[in-house]
Amino acid sequence: MTLKEIEAIPREYLIPREVAQVLGCHPHTINVVTKNGNPFPFPVIVMGTRVRIPKMPFVKFMRGEEE
């Protein structure tokens, strides 16, 4: 998945599988590292075992835009 494909997703939140492809890591890595806080420079929401990433802040981060 590319950043352009992520931008075309009609949802406001992304799942780790989508974000991991752009970041070049495994989705499980995103799930594991966010359990003890957010190490990423974009917001991550953890709800029990589910992790969601707000799409626009992630896209802005990937573009190098300031939040």
Side-chain angles (χ1 to χ4, degrees):
M1 181 163 284
T2 65
L3 187 58
K4 191 169 206 114
E5 290 171 326
I6 283 183
E7 290 176 289
I9 294 172
R11 293 179 272 112
E12 292 184 37
Y13 295 94
L14 304 169
I15 58 176
R17 182 179 69 236
E18 296 160 338
V19 171
Q21 291 177 355
V22 174
L23 293 177
C25 66
H26 195 277
H28 183 69
T29 303
I30 294 173
N31 287 329
V32 170
V33 299
T34 56
K35 296 301 178 192
N36 296 320
N38 181 10
F40 299 107
F42 48 85
V44 176
I45 300 166
V46 179
M47 300 171 289
T49 60
R50 296 176 189 251
V51 174
R52 297 294 179 259
I53 299 100
K55 182 171 83 171
M56 287 317 298
F58 176 74
V59 169
K60 286 181 179 183
F61 165 74
M62 292 305 296
R63 287 183 189 159
E65 298 175 9
E66 292 292 321
E67 229 348 75

